[in-house]
Amino acid sequence: MKIAIVDENAARAAVIEQGLREAGLDDVAVLAERVGLVARLEALAPDVVLMSLGNPGRDQLEESFSLSRALARPIAMFVDQSDERAIAEAIDAGISAYVVDGMRKDRIKPILELAVRRFNAFSRLQMELAEAKSALAERKVIDRAKVLLMKRRGIDEPAAYALLRKQAMDSGRRIAEIAEALVTAEALLGDGS
């Protein structure tokens, strides 16, 4: 597992790095400069990012949250102090673990594991949501196409679906693609009713 540590403070970064190495994790890179950070992280392609911010200001937190959205990787953030708003923003930004006043080298590996698990769980949920939305959209277009066929051909719903399915099989396409083509053609060529 490749891990990037982002911290301008060398002493804090050393605590994290030592905790990782003692846990048997040796593929570690420390990034001390924040200038061009996203590009450097993308080039490095770490599996996990550990950020230590100490007492971050609002701008530094916002920059870190933007980083989280841009990278799409597990990110654990260590801060010395926080408030409810910062915690809520961290969660909304996709920070996988937001640790307040908890930087000890013996806690680094469990926090890293938590960040990875939370990120993976959240990613699965996002994928399932996208699949559900896509299936719902396909179902709606198929229903619209069936209504068009029922109206134009004077047939019932099972017969309309059978026509869509047959056309999909004959053309080697999905039923939703055939339905979308039919709905689009009707919008362009229909009688406007």
Side-chain angles (χ1 to χ4, degrees):
M1 178 183 307
K2 186 183 289 187
I3 302 162
I5 300 169
V6 177
D7 195 340
E8 294 173 326
N9 181 307
R12 283 192 316 243
V15 169
I16 296 172
E17 184 175 10
Q18 186 177 7
L20 292 170
R21 294 195 187 284
E22 287 178 9
L25 300 165
D26 294 321
D27 196 355
V28 178
V30 178
L31 304 173
E33 264 189 55
R34 297 188 72 82
V35 176
L37 184 59
V38 173
R40 288 185 312 175
L41 283 169
E42 286 177 344
L44 185 62
D47 298 304
V48 181
V49 177
L50 302 178
M51 299 181 75
S52 178
L53 300 176
N55 292 313
R58 180 82 23 237
D59 290 342
Q60 195 177 19
L61 278 175
E62 185 53 43
E63 177 189 26
S64 299
F65 299 157
S66 296
L67 175 71
S68 172
R69 289 186 283 272
L71 287 180
R73 285 184 180 76
I75 296 179
M77 185 178 290
F78 297 89
V79 297
D80 292 338
Q81 298 174 2
S82 190
D83 57 36
E84 287 183 35
R85 182 176 173 201
I87 293 169
E89 289 174 358
I91 291 168
D92 290 345
I95 300 294
S96 301
Y98 188 83
V99 183
V100 180
D101 193 29
M103 182 170 322
R104 291 191 333 252
K105 66 180 180 175
D106 61 315
R107 293 187 66 201
I108 302 299
K109 185 175 182 200
I111 289 169
L112 172 89
E113 291 169 348
L114 169 72
V116 170
R117 284 191 178 104
R118 283 200 62 219
F119 178 83
N120 290 339
F122 186 70
S123 294
R124 274 192 307 277
L125 288 173
Q126 284 182 313
M127 187 173 62
E128 289 171 8
L129 177 61
E131 288 171 357
K133 284 181 176 180
S134 177
L136 180 60
E138 286 182 0
R139 183 80 251 149
K140 285 181 179 180
V141 77
I142 291 169
D143 287 345
R144 286 179 59 201
K146 287 190 300 186
V147 168
L148 288 173
L149 287 172
M150 290 163 55
K151 178 179 160 188
R152 290 259 181 181
R153 297 227 177 161
I155 57 177
D156 63 5
E157 185 176 355
Y161 185 77
L163 275 174
L164 287 171
R165 189 179 69 225
K166 181 179 182 334
Q167 183 59 39
M169 290 174 67
D170 290 349
S171 63
R173 295 168 54 195
R174 296 175 46 247
I175 293 174
E177 293 175 47
I178 299 300
E180 183 66 41
L182 181 60
V183 169
T184 300
E186 177 66 17
L188 293 171
L189 303 173
D191 57 12
S193 57

